[in-house]
């Protein structure tokens, strides 16, 4: 046994043991998938538009599936399973640490739109009760923007006299009601006694120019009472009033927004970055569908024209709207951006990442119903892992029984060589466990039933490598070569076969991982990792162990302890077969 082989044997054992100990000390463990641990399942149903029932095609749904999968992959969610089931899209999010954040990203399914901000409104509009009329009360600061205190309800007062007009009787709490009917000759008109000073304004219809923009309305009266538009009313070519919400979903402010001449289709990508603060860099496509459109809007906002009036900061603002909600409304500080815009706003790292995801994957060809709406057909629910845990427990028991039977077979067939084969399998399994646990902690890689299947297949591949070597060893002994010489020479020939077999498995795993999605990727990943680690364990553990056995004179004199025949027995068996 060469010194190099001894060093490789010590190193591989030390590395496997050290990594295992470090992983256990760090508390790393494989992250279980949805079918083993539970998670969140979101079912997205397209909005039913009776006027356009033919526009949602299977191709649109397939595109939506790919975009949603990219969103979830961008979040780092472990093995998302995004599939199309008929006319629905089913999203399964296994074992993630922040489920609500992922649901929020999945739920943002409407088209991304860029709109000029006409004005900023209060969080809630004033509504008119059926029995009251809102009037504006003159105050000394009437020139200031009115707030809730400047609006009062002037109820129609009831006269105290029992008879207000001939034939009209007012019933009060102290009035005794008689059974005789009261003849009403002239009903009282409450509107005649109250002067209506203001009415709820209506957003006017946009008159678009050739660029798809329109001047903001200036004569709509009291903007405080503008009603909030719904996501269904968020039409590209109209003025709308849309809310901005906090993390709890509460409306913090509302905006009167102009028509949108640019959607998310004009974006080529977006990423978060940190300079002096966290920012989002949005990249636009070239030409009239992207950067030119945005520069047209940016020039209006930078100049503070009627299309995009100047705000308190001196420039106009552009609102980024998704699903009827304003994600961000930054000021525009340049008239041209050459295809790249930087969005800043005192974001945290997660907020910048989320906004970049919305910009990058915000445009879907299909509008889905809101999964958080109780009245919606779209749903989101937690998935219990009770059945999965039972299956995992049964699978572990079956795996232990199977490994025990394999151990008995290998030891029965190959004696000490079989023990070495199982130890080699243990080394590769230890390295694989450390890698899977590390990926689960750092990259949210989840281990699913499909991944477990890949591991089981990998066990068979690893044992096949050992069997190939042992059978080559038998053939060399049968040709009359000494056992000590055969242990070294047969490994060289066998390793070529082992390498080719594992390389073929690795190619299949890479192609399967590239072309597939969801849990099938987990199967491919586990198979690929196990193929690589099998080569490592075979060359750096099995080979030096076999060389170590060759140094034992007692074993060389008694090949039966290695599950090998003596040279005489091998030659006699070969002669009988011929």
């Amino acid at each position: 046994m060469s010194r190099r082989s001894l060093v490789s044997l010590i190193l591989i054992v030390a590395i496997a043991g050290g990594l295992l100990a470090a992983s256990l000390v760090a508390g790393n463990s494989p992250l279980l998938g949805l079918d083993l641990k539970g998670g969140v399942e979101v079912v997205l149903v397209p909005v039913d538009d009776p006027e356009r029932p033919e526009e949602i095609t299977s191709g649109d749904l397939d595109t939506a599936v790919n975009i949603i999968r990219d969103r979830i992959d961008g979040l780092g969610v472990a093995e998302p399973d995004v599939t199309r089931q008929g006319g629905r899209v089913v999203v399964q999010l296994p074992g993630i640490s922040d489920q609500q954040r992922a649901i929020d990203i999945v739920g943002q399914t409407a088209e991304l739109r860029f709109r000029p901000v006409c004005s900023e409104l209060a969080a809630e509009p004033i509504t008119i009760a059926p029995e009251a009329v809102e009037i504006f009360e003159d105050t000394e600061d009437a020139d200031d923007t009115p707030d809730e205190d400047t609006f009062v309800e002037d109820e129609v007062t009831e006269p105290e006299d029992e008879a207000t007009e001939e034939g009209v009787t007012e019933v009060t709490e102290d009035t005794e009601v008689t059974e005789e009917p009261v003849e009403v000759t002239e009903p009282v008109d409450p509107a005649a006694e109250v002067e209506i000073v203001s009415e709820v304004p209506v957003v006017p219809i946009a008159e678009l120019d050739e660029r798809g923009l329109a001047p903001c309305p200036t004569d709509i009266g009291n903007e405080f009472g503008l009603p909030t538009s719904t996501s269904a009313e968020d039409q590209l070519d109209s003025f709308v009033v849309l809310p901005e919400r906090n993390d709890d979903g509460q409306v913090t402010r509302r905006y009167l927004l102009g028509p949108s001449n640019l959607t998310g289709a004009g974006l080529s990508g977006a990423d978060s970055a940190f300079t002096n603060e966290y920012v989002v860099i949005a990249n636009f496509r070239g030409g009239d569908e992207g950067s030119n459109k945005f520069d047209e809007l940016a020039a209006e906002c930078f100049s503070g024209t009627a299309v995009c009036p100047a705000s308190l900061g001196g420039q106009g603002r552009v609102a980024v709207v998704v699903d009827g909600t304003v994600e961000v409304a930054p000021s525009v500080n340049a008239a041209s951006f050459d295809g790249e815009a930087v969005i800043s706003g005192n974001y945290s790292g997660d907020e910048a990442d989320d906004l970049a995801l919305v910009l990058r994957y915000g445009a879907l060809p299909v509008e889905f119903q809101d999964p958080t709406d109780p009245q919606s057909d779209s749903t989101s629910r937690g998935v219990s892992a009770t059945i999965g845990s039972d299956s995992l427990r049964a699978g572990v028991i079956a795996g232990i029984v199977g490994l025990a039977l394999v151990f008995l077979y290998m030891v029965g067939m190959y004696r000490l060589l079989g023990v070495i084969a199982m130890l080699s399998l243990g080394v590769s399994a230890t390295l694989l466990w450390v890698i899977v646990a590390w990926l689960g902690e750092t990259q949210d890689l989840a281990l699913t039933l499909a991944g477990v299947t890949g591991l089981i297949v990998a066990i068979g591949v690893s044992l096949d490598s050992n069997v190939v070597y042992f059978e080559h060893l038998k053939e060399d002994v049968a040709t009359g070569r000494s056992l000590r010489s055969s242990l070294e020479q047969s490994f060289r020939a066998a390793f070529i076969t082992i390498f080719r077999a594992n390389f073929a498995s690795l190619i299949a795993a890479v192609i399967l991982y590239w072309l597939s999605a969801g849990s099938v990727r987990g199967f491919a990943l586990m198979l690929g990792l196990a193929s690589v680690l099998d080569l490592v364990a075979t060359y750096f553990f099995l080979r030096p162990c076999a060389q170590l056995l060759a140094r034992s004179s007692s074993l060389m004199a008694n090949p039966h302890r290695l599950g090998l025949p003596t040279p005489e027995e091998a030659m006699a068996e070969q002669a009988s077969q011929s």
Side-chain angles (χ1 to χ4, degrees), residues 559-575:
H560 290 157
R561 296 181 183 178
L562 299 176
L564 300 174
T566 63
E568 294 76 11
E569 292 173 342
M571 295 178 64
E573 182 179 354
Q574 188 177 26

Side-chain angles (χ1 to χ4, degrees), residues 471-491:
E471 292 302 317
H472 266 281
L473 185 59
K474 280 186 177 181
E475 292 178 0
D476 281 354
V477 172
T479 60
R481 181 177 293 170
S482 68
L483 180 57
R484 181 174 283 108
S485 175
S486 297
L487 284 170
E488 179 65 27
Q489 296 297 325
S490 61
F491 181 84

Side-chain angles (χ1 to χ4, degrees), residues 35 63 113 127 152 166 178 186 328 341 389 394 475 503 537:
D35 48 2
T63 301
R113 296 168 182 178
T127 57
V152 297
E166 184 178 356
T178 63
E186 231 179 87
V328 64
S389 298
E475 292 178 0
F503 189 69

